[in-house]
Amino acid sequence: MRTSLAAGLQFFLTHNSIFALVGERGETGAMFRFDAHVHSVVSDGTESPAQVMEAAAHAGLDAVALTDHDTFEGLAAAHEAAERVGIELVPGVELSTKVGGVSLHMLAYYPAQGPSPLRDLMERIRQSRLLRIQEMAGRLGVDYPEVSWEALQELGEDDKSWGRPHLADLLVGGGHFHDRAEAFQTVLHPHSPYYVRQWSPAPEDMVRAVRDAGGVPVMAHPQSNRRGKMEEETLERMVEAGLFGLERDHREHDQAARAQIDQWARRWGLAVTGGSDYHGLGKPNRLGENLTSEEVFAQIKREAGR
């Protein structure tokens, strides 16, 4: 019993860096803390890019990757704020992909932000997101009068990277659900009659597009118990296309999921990363609760030619 408790405590401490027990100590003895997965209000977070940078510095992070969904729009403001508060910004994006009807997300670090096949894919995804959210708002509005496209627009600018969290915010605000998670488990679930699918490219095509743009592709939460798990056949195709790594340390990965990712990483020589998937008040996730090592941080920069 004592051995089991000790093992459980070790796992908890190893993967919950909010207690500042995860990281790597450099030559000075200081712990390097890099959160490789955070969001702002530009997609589905609740804080501006500048506020996210300020919160990251307050949380004691040395570096942070802003990875809003399918958009680069928040990166300029984040860069300015990061310089002001003394934190290193890794410019990134979380990209939508799909295989066999299952939505899979990919993190891309340091991709070129100018015209490219990647930007073309991102624009097609954003247009699909927009049409989808409008149709879902129409369906929901029949039974939930608070929900409409006009009400959604009041939540942000027209170029926001729209998603289901914004519908959840209207539903929560109308008193129908306690929080976003409850809305996602019910009326926003893929099996709900209100749900509408969006277009997304195959993961291996997105890997190639990220590499063509000079970026470093990492699969986000690939063994999530909530979102759906990636199949090994899919991973093989992504590795062949140039995948760099797998996000292992994530709140939605239990010990078995992390062990599976470690096995895949060893088999294909992939890096493993960690991130909080921070959304401000939109999720319980806290900045720095999972981190990426300084060694992998350096590898990402080398891969991107930084």
Side-chain angles (χ1 to χ4, degrees):
M1 178 66 175
R2 183 173 300 174
T3 301
S4 177
L5 286 173
L9 178 60
Q10 179 63 39
F11 174 79
F12 179 80
L13 295 179
T14 301
H15 296 290
N16 287 271
S17 59
I18 194 169
F19 293 95
L21 293 173
V22 172
E24 291 193 351
R25 295 188 179 277
E27 293 179 0
T28 63
M31 186 177 297
F32 181 84
R33 307 185 76 234
F34 169 42
D35 190 332
H37 188 172
V38 307
H39 296 274
S40 78
V41 72
V42 172
S43 63
D44 54 348
T46 61
E47 299 170 346
S48 71
Q51 288 172 324
V52 173
M53 295 303 107
E54 291 163 2
H58 183 72
L61 296 176
D62 299 290
V64 64
L66 183 64
T67 53
D68 280 321
H69 290 280
D70 304 310
T71 181
F72 297 134
E73 293 303 316
L75 292 177
H79 178 73
E80 181 180 342
E83 287 194 332
R84 184 177 69 251
V85 300
I87 190 171
E88 183 169 356
L89 171 68
V90 174
V93 61
E94 185 169 6
L95 300 158
S96 303
T97 76
K98 186 177 293 184
V99 59
V102 177
S103 177
L104 299 173
H105 290 178
M106 186 181 304
L107 300 165
Y109 304 113
Y110 297 107
Q113 298 174 39
S116 68
L118 175 61
R119 285 299 295 255
D120 293 342
L121 283 176
M122 289 171 61
E123 182 56 30
R124 186 174 175 186
I125 293 168
R126 281 168 58 83
Q127 289 301 315
S128 179
R129 276 181 172 274
L130 178 61
L131 294 175
R132 172 214 202 183
I133 209 73
Q134 290 174 333
E135 185 172 345
M136 287 188 70
R139 293 185 183 186
L140 285 161
V142 174
D143 298 316
Y144 301 94
E146 298 87 356
V147 180
S148 67
W149 172 236
E150 291 72 23
L152 279 169
Q153 288 177 296
E154 294 179 4
L155 297 177
E157 301 298 325
D158 289 343
D159 62 353
K160 180 189 286 285
S161 189
W162 296 103
R164 286 180 295 162
H166 304 111
L167 292 171
D169 289 343
L170 291 179
L171 292 163
V172 171
H176 301 290
F177 300 97
H178 178 69
D179 54 22
R180 282 182 175 182
E182 186 179 0
F184 266 75
Q185 292 164 3
T186 52
V187 297
L188 300 181
H189 192 276
H191 296 310
S192 165
Y194 304 107
Y195 185 82
V196 176
R197 296 188 181 278
Q198 74 172 56
W199 177 85
S200 298
E204 61 268 27
D205 292 337
M206 188 62 86
V207 169
R208 295 187 187 97
V210 170
R211 285 295 193 180
D212 287 345
V216 182
V218 171
M219 201 65 199
H221 38 68
Q223 288 289 286
S224 170
N225 289 322
R226 185 172 71 83
R227 305 165 190 265
K229 299 186 177 184
M230 181 176 65
E231 298 293 334
E232 189 167 302
E233 293 79 4
T234 301
L235 177 57
E236 288 188 75
R237 294 194 298 272
M238 294 173 68
V239 170
E240 291 174 0
L243 186 69
F244 171 78
L246 299 167
E247 185 181 45
R248 177 189 64 195
D249 296 331
H250 188 280
R251 166 181 291 254
E252 295 172 13
H253 286 162
D254 59 18
Q255 191 167 5
R258 298 181 197 221
Q260 175 64 79
I261 291 168
D262 276 334
Q263 180 182 337
W264 282 342
R266 288 192 297 270
R267 177 176 176 183
W268 280 294
L270 301 172
V272 293
T273 69
S276 64
D277 203 356
Y278 178 71
H279 283 69
L281 299 177
K283 288 184 177 181
N285 309 37
R286 307 276 32 101
L287 281 165
E289 69 178 29
N290 287 296
L291 299 173
T292 296
S293 73
E294 187 171 13
E295 178 185 4
V296 172
F297 175 68
Q299 289 175 354
I300 290 171
K301 297 184 75 169
R302 285 196 299 270
E303 288 273 326
R306 301 297 175 117

